[in-house]
Amino acid sequence: MWVLLGVVAVVLGFALRLNPLLTVVVAALVTGVAAAIGSGPAPAALWAGALDTLAVLGKGFRDNRYISVTWLILPLIGLLEREGLQERARTLIQRLKSATTGRLLLVYLVVRQGTAALGLTSLGGHPQMVRPLIAPMAEAAAEAQDPALPDKTRDRVKAMAAATDNVGLFFGEDIFIAIASILLIKGFLETNGIIVQPLQLSVWAIPTAVAALLIHGTRLMLLDRALKREAGR
Amino acid sequence: MIGLPILYALAGALFLVFATGSALDRTNPRRWGNSVFWGLFAASFLVGDRLPDAVNGALLVAMALVAGVNLMGRGQPAPQADRAERAARWGNRLFLPALIPPAVTLLGTLTLKGVEIGGRPLVDPRQVTLVSLGFGIVLATAVALAMFRASPAVAVREGRRLMDQVGWAGLLPQALAALGAVFVAAEVGDVIGALAGDWLPLHGPLAAVIAYCLGMPLFTAVMGNAFAAFPVMTAAIALPLIVGKYGGDPAIVCAIGMLSGFCGTLTTPMAANFNIVPAALLELADRNGVIVAQLPTALPLLVANVVLMYAFAF
């Protein structure tokens, strides 16, 4: 039970808006020390628990360095932005008279979901797609309706662009049979003596994918209406 | 064999350059904090394999302290005024380098897996996608440098400008994965799973479905990752009750259960690479802006999952 103190530390840290990185490290140490309480609260044991935890944390940190390799893309994105990539994306959208923020993001949602369902999850993403292309396009479409777009609305449009990438990815990728989550489910069921084929699992990702498309798509259309209303004021 | 080490060497070199550039950047009032932070990150990539686990942990703690006591700032590079003219000059050719990384990743993933040279695989078979992505990025950067006749110094300066905008949030996804490892070692998941099994009302198939479909996102929100929540919640609720006692179809239950967890991923700052990093990249005023935008999608979708599972699993 004591180990749940680490979870409490996470929740408190985020609720109090402390620095998330520091919150995570403190929560890890709290978890490790709390786990050591079980074998007696002697200071020496707690100290040993903290050191052990530091080692587990360090190993986890080292083993997961591959996650941060994606930052290698930043010089490329920076170079392209310097040559006007965001401006070009805006120009393209401004030329399409029928383009609105909601319609643009709806098209992106369908494309992102569809390509993720084919296993092409690396075709989107925040550093390489949303920041340089999708968010500026969504902003430009909103500006076409309201040249004096307030900062708050601008942030809402950008946040919706990021949200659309996430929703499309999450509720598309499971339709692909060789994605990590499908393999995890298959492996987990196998160790519990239940044999399922990946196709059985991925087929049952389709109803939720359709629901996600309907729900998020509706919200994008409502966003258009809200933007229009606000522009009229 | 080409594998992660070469990517880590590349990343280490890049962060080392960021650290040096930060130290020399007089437009950043807190340049030394940035320099130490990216320098420590570079050390983790370059020599992390040769350091004891506890020292790797100490690296992370030191970085968290630099970020946590607010020692990091941002350079103020002179704004570049001629972007619109440059964009007009390049036209749609600008998109070309941006398309190279995904195209190469796709091509590499499809073709490199079985390639052998002298009986040894050319690319580490477990890391084909990442290696292809890394190669695609290097190739695209080289193409862009040639196309724009820019020097590599410009590329790393532009890269550091973006990295400064992301700041400590760029480390958060990896730090959260490390926290996940600590949670696993301390068996936090098992404790939560046992609690869920003991305390949730689980009488009847509908109650069990609701408990599972809500337990998955809640636990995912805590761990930041549906993969961590899935084995625990499925072993605690889905297998013994929904499948075992009430005869639900395990494939349907598990597929929809996992997607219920994904709804939780949309709601939590713990899923930093999806929710916190983009807020930093897009320079949103509210760090949780992306989560706020996602809640009205995640909650109805969760209800839809309950309905789908209850309707089709039995």
Side-chain angles (χ1 to χ4, degrees):
Chain A
M1 283 305 269
W2 286 107
V3 296
L4 292 183
L5 282 177
V7 176
V8 173
V10 167
V11 174
L12 271 182
F14 279 111
L16 298 175
R17 291 184 159 248
L18 305 179
N19 180 289
L21 195 55
L22 195 57
T23 300
V24 164
V25 168
V26 169
L29 295 176
V30 167
T31 304
V33 173
I37 292 180
S39 51
L46 295 187
W47 177 244
L51 283 183
D52 287 348
T53 308
L54 193 63
V56 175
L57 186 69
K59 185 175 185 310
F61 185 62
R62 187 182 58 208
D63 290 347
N64 286 291
R65 282 177 297 178
Y66 69 91
I67 295 174
S68 301
V69 163
T70 48
W71 295 123
L72 282 174
I73 201 159
L74 289 188
L76 172 68
I77 302 297
L79 261 183
L80 291 170
E81 287 190 2
R82 181 168 175 269
E83 299 297 326
L85 184 65
Q86 291 192 343
E87 284 70 15
R88 183 66 199 165
R90 284 169 201 269
T91 311
L92 276 187
I93 281 303
Q94 281 156 356
R95 281 192 194 155
L96 287 174
K97 292 285 171 242
S98 58
T100 63
T101 304
R103 282 185 206 152
L104 167 81
L105 290 180
L106 184 61
V107 170
Y108 184 63
L109 176 66
V110 172
V111 172
R112 182 75 164 127
Q113 238 188 335
T115 50
L118 297 173
L120 308 177
T121 50
S122 56
L123 282 186
H126 299 286
Q128 61 270 52
M129 206 66 170
V130 177
R131 171 178 161 116
L133 295 173
I134 303 302
M137 285 179 164
E139 259 184 281
E143 276 169 359
Q145 268 182 339
D146 181 1
L149 197 66
D151 281 349
K152 217 175 158 182
T153 314
R154 188 180 297 274
D155 269 12
R156 211 168 81 209
V157 167
K158 291 199 278 189
M160 203 61 166
T164 303
D165 187 272
N166 285 337
V167 171
L169 172 66
F170 291 4
F171 301 101
E173 63 173 6
D174 265 22
I175 299 175
F176 185 61
I177 52 174
I179 209 78
S181 50
I182 294 289
L183 301 178
L184 173 74
I185 298 174
K186 179 176 150 47
F188 172 82
L189 284 178
E190 237 168 55
T191 57
N192 285 280
I194 301 172
I195 305 295
V196 295
Q197 294 308 315
L199 189 63
Q200 285 174 282
L201 295 168
S202 58
V203 160
W204 283 101
I206 294 175
T208 304
V210 173
L213 181 62
L214 291 177
I215 292 169
H216 199 72
T218 307
R219 287 194 56 218
L220 291 173
M221 292 301 102
L222 292 176
L223 175 68
D224 262 355
R225 282 175 60 178
L227 288 174
K228 203 170 185 180
R229 206 170 50 233
E230 285 172 29
R233 256 188 279 166
Chain B
M1 190 170 73
I2 306 172
L4 288 179
I6 189 163
L7 292 180
Y8 289 171
L10 264 178
L14 182 65
F15 284 118
L16 200 58
V17 175
F18 284 172
T20 319
S22 295
L24 299 174
D25 185 353
R26 289 178 190 282
T27 65
N28 179 356
R30 298 185 177 143
R31 57 192 169 129
W32 296 111
N34 288 46
S35 185
V36 169
F37 190 87
W38 301 123
L40 290 169
F41 208 9
S44 158
F45 274 111
L46 293 174
V47 294
D49 287 320
R50 274 169 271 161
L51 298 175
D53 290 345
V55 178
N56 273 292
L59 281 180
L60 173 57
V61 171
M63 292 174 82
L65 283 174
V66 171
V69 298
N70 214 9
L71 291 180
M72 293 177 77
R74 204 188 266 195
Q76 311 288 336
Q80 207 190 330
D82 63 340
R83 282 187 176 183
E85 291 93 80
R86 288 180 187 235
R89 182 150 47 101
W90 294 114
N92 289 338
R93 277 179 295 167
L94 262 181
F95 296 116
L96 198 74
L99 293 176
I100 294 177
V104 171
T105 308
L106 178 64
L107 214 68
T109 309
L110 292 178
T111 58
L112 285 178
K113 207 151 207 164
V115 177
E116 291 187 0
I117 288 180
R120 295 188 56 193
L122 175 65
V123 175
D124 184 347
R126 287 164 304 161
Q127 308 295 352
V128 173
T129 304
L130 260 180
V131 170
S132 307
L133 176 67
F135 178 65
I137 290 173
V138 171
L139 182 69
T141 311
V143 167
L145 285 175
M147 192 171 148
F148 306 139
R149 297 173 201 275
S151 80
V154 175
V156 291
R157 197 182 64 214
E158 291 295 318
R160 188 166 60 81
R161 175 175 63 83
L162 296 183
M163 201 73 245
D164 272 358
Q165 266 168 28
V166 177
W168 49 259
L171 184 71
L172 198 52
Q174 191 187 332
L176 281 160
L179 175 65
V182 172
F183 277 175
V184 169
E187 297 174 342
V188 172
D190 302 301
V191 175
I192 296 184
L195 277 181
D198 288 349
W199 289 91
L200 291 173
L202 297 166
H203 302 293
L206 180 60
V209 164
I210 292 175
Y212 181 49
C213 287
L214 297 188
M216 270 298 294
L218 275 176
F219 195 7
T220 301
V222 170
M223 305 292 272
N225 184 339
F227 290 9
F230 177 79
V232 176
M233 293 312 276
T234 308
I237 301 176
L239 286 187
L241 290 167
I242 305 179
V243 174
K245 196 166 169 191
Y246 302 117
D249 179 329
I252 299 174
V253 170
C254 288
I256 298 178
M258 181 66 92
L259 292 165
S260 302
F262 286 6
C263 292
T265 314
L266 293 175
T267 67
T268 177
M270 295 288 283
N273 45 349
F274 298 112
N275 299 334
I276 304 298
V277 168
L281 272 172
L282 299 174
E283 298 161 75
L284 301 185
D286 179 5
R287 188 198 288 164
N288 291 321
V290 178
I291 295 174
V292 172
Q294 284 168 168
L295 279 177
T297 298
L299 299 180
L301 194 53
L302 206 50
V303 176
N305 277 340
V306 172
V307 172
L308 287 170
M309 193 186 292
Y310 188 65
F312 292 114
F314 301 105

